[in-house]
Amino acid sequence: MSGMGDGYVGTAQDAVRIRRLEKQREAERRKIQELKAKTASDKGQPGLLQFGSSTSEILETAFKKETVGLVTREEYVEKKVNIRNKFEEEEKEKLQKLQREEEELQLQKRRKRKIRGNSRLSFSDDFENGSDEDDGNKNLEPRKLGRDKLGKDPTVETSFLPDSEREAEEQAERERLKKQWLREQEQIRSEPLQITYSYWDGTGHRRVIQARKGDRIGEFLRAVQQQLAPEFREIRTTSVENLLYVKEDLIIPHQHSFYELIVNKARGKSGPLFHFDVHEDVRTTADATIEKDESHAGKVVERHWYEKNKHIFPASRWEIYDPTKKWERYTIHGD
C-alpha cells in the first residue's frame, strides 16, 4: 500500500482514511502544477501588462499595440505623444479621485467628532423635544440649530462631578473649622484645674493645688515639690524625676498631660482618671450592674519609698499607666 511502510499496524478504517487523504493531496498537487503552468504562459504574452510594471514598460507595451505594421514617422511620433498624454491624464484623474476621497473621509471624521463632542456637553431635554419641530425647520442650518438647542439642564444632579470652585470652597471651610477647633482646644488647655492630691509616705497628707488642664504631670509634680518642700525634708532633697503621681492605682508617666486624660476619658483600676477632685458615689440602692463614679485623691510618692515598699499594699497594686489598656470594671482589693 502506497504511503504505508512495512511495519504499519492499523485497522481497515485507518487504511481507507489514509488512501483518501493521499488522493486529496495528489489532486491538490496537480491543481498547483496547472496554476503554475498557466501563470508561466500568461507571462509570455507580449501585450499583457504585468502587476508591478514601471511606467516606461506600460507605455512601451501600449505603444507597441498601437503601432502594429508599417507607419510613417509622423504617425509614429503622434501616437507616442498621444499615448503618453492619455496615460498622464488617466494618472492625474486617479490622483484627483484619491484626493477627493481622502477629503471626504476627513470631513466625515470631523463631523463625527463634533457630534460626539456636542452629545457629551449636552444635558438638555430640549434636544429630544425639538425633534418634533424638525419638519418645520428644514431650511435652518444644522450648526445654528444645534447651538440654539444644546445646553446644560439645571434640573440634573451634578454634585458628583468634579468642580474646582466647590472643592476650593470645601478646602477653605475645612481649614477654617480646623483653626477654630485648635483655638477651642487651646482655650481648654488654658482653663484652670483644681487638683486634690495626697503626699503618701505610709500615711496620707492631703493637699489642694491649682494647675492648668494643659499642664503635664512633670510640671504638676514640680509645683507639688515647691508646695511640700517647706514641710517635708525628703521632698526638698529629691528631684522632680524621683516623684511619682499615682491616680486610681496607676502610675501616670511625666509626659502625659491632664488634657489627654480628660479628652480621652481615661480610666484606672478603681475610678476615672479624668476627675481630679474627691467624691464618693453614694446611692440608696447598690446595683452591681451600674459602674460607680467615685474619684479618689491621687497620691504623690517619692520613688525611693515606692521601691522599698512596692511589695506591700497599696503599692503592690500600682502599675504603669498604659493608654491602650482598658479597665472594664473597677477593683479596690487585690489585683
Side-chain angles (χ1 to χ4, degrees):
M1 183 183 296
S2 61
M4 294 183 292
D6 297 337
Y8 171 75
V9 178
T11 62
Q13 293 179 353
D14 294 335
V16 172
R17 185 169 59 86
I18 291 172
R19 284 195 295 271
R20 185 173 63 251
L21 292 175
E22 287 180 348
K23 289 180 180 179
Q24 291 178 359
R25 284 196 290 269
E26 185 64 28
E28 290 176 357
R29 280 197 294 270
R30 287 197 299 270
K31 190 174 181 179
I32 292 172
Q33 292 296 331
E34 291 176 359
L35 290 175
K36 288 183 178 180
K38 185 177 179 181
T39 303
S41 62
D42 291 341
K43 289 183 178 180
Q45 296 179 7
L48 184 64
L49 297 181
Q50 301 299 324
F51 177 77
S53 301
S54 63
T55 303
S56 60
E57 292 176 351
I58 295 172
L59 291 173
E60 185 67 24
T61 304
F63 180 69
K64 288 179 180 180
K65 292 174 64 178
E66 292 292 334
T67 56
V68 177
L70 296 175
V71 294
T72 62
R73 183 176 181 278
E74 290 77 8
E75 291 176 347
Y76 180 87
V77 174
E78 182 180 358
K79 288 182 178 182
K80 188 172 185 178
V81 173
N82 291 338
I83 290 172
R84 179 175 293 278
N85 293 337
K86 184 178 180 181
F87 179 78
E88 291 177 354
E89 290 176 359
E90 291 177 355
E91 291 295 322
K92 186 176 181 180
E93 290 178 357
K94 290 180 181 179
L95 181 60
Q96 291 176 353
K97 184 179 180 181
L98 290 175
Q99 290 177 350
R100 286 195 300 270
E101 292 177 354
E102 182 67 21
E103 291 175 356
E104 291 178 359
L105 182 61
Q106 294 296 332
L107 182 60
Q108 291 177 1
K109 289 182 179 179
R110 286 197 296 271
R111 287 177 179 172
K112 289 180 180 179
R113 284 198 296 268
K114 186 173 181 180
I115 292 173
R116 287 198 298 268
N118 289 337
S119 64
R120 285 197 301 270
L121 295 175
S122 174
F123 296 97
S124 177
D125 294 334
D126 294 338
F127 184 79
E128 297 178 358
N129 298 333
S131 60
D132 298 335
E133 303 174 1
D134 290 344
D135 296 338
N137 297 327
K138 290 182 178 180
N139 296 329
L140 296 178
E141 294 182 1
R143 293 184 180 178
K144 184 176 180 182
L145 182 61
R147 285 197 299 268
D148 293 341
K149 292 297 181 182
L150 299 180
K152 290 184 178 181
D153 186 355
T155 62
V156 174
E157 177 63 30
T158 59
S159 59
F160 61 90
L161 295 175
D163 188 340
S164 57
E165 294 182 359
R166 185 177 67 245
E167 291 176 357
E169 292 176 358
E170 292 176 354
Q171 181 63 26
E173 180 65 14
R174 284 195 291 269
E175 291 294 332
R176 186 187 68 79
L177 294 175
K178 179 180 178 181
K179 291 179 181 179
Q180 179 181 349
W181 184 82
L182 291 175
R183 285 195 302 269
E184 292 175 354
Q185 300 308 307
E186 190 62 32
Q187 291 176 358
I188 294 174
R189 289 189 180 92
S190 301
E191 291 177 358
L193 181 65
Q194 183 171 295
I195 301 174
T196 301
Y197 72 94
S198 175
Y199 171 58
W200 189 264
D201 58 356
T203 58
H205 307 277
R206 184 168 293 186
R207 299 287 187 276
V208 177
I209 193 171
Q210 194 81 9
R212 294 184 309 167
K213 291 183 178 179
D215 288 347
R216 298 184 182 276
I217 301 301
E219 297 171 342
F220 159 72
L221 291 175
R222 183 175 289 106
V224 168
Q225 184 187 30
Q226 295 174 359
Q227 187 182 43
L228 297 177
E231 189 175 353
F232 299 95
R233 184 175 63 84
E234 63 273 16
I235 295 295
R236 289 196 301 270
T237 58
T238 190
S239 63
V240 176
E241 288 73 16
N242 288 325
L243 293 179
L244 304 178
Y245 179 59
V246 183
K247 174 71 171 161
E248 309 300 343
D249 294 329
L250 295 181
I251 302 173
I252 313 298
H254 289 199
Q255 69 270 18
H256 292 286
S257 66
F258 297 112
Y259 170 81
E260 295 175 18
L261 301 176
I262 294 171
V263 170
N264 297 325
K265 293 188 178 299
R267 295 183 178 274
K269 287 185 176 182
S270 57
L273 298 179
F274 52 90
H275 289 320
F276 301 97
D277 57 350
V278 177
H279 64 269
E280 295 182 358
D281 190 2
V282 179
R283 300 181 183 178
T284 57
T285 303
D287 189 349
T289 63
I290 301 177
E291 182 181 278
K292 290 186 176 182
D293 185 22
E294 295 183 350
S295 178
H296 309 95
K299 296 179 176 61
V300 175
V301 182
E302 202 272 328
R303 187 183 297 274
H304 177 71
W305 182 94
Y306 170 70
E307 294 293 340
K308 184 178 179 181
N309 299 278
K310 63 182 179 180
H311 61 287
I312 304 173
F313 184 85
S316 60
R317 280 176 47 86
W318 299 347
E319 61 181 87
I320 303 296
Y321 167 67
D322 183 2
T324 61
K325 187 174 182 179
K326 305 298 181 184
W327 299 96
E328 297 182 357
R329 65 185 181 89
Y330 294 151
T331 60
I332 297 176
H333 302 290
D335 295 333

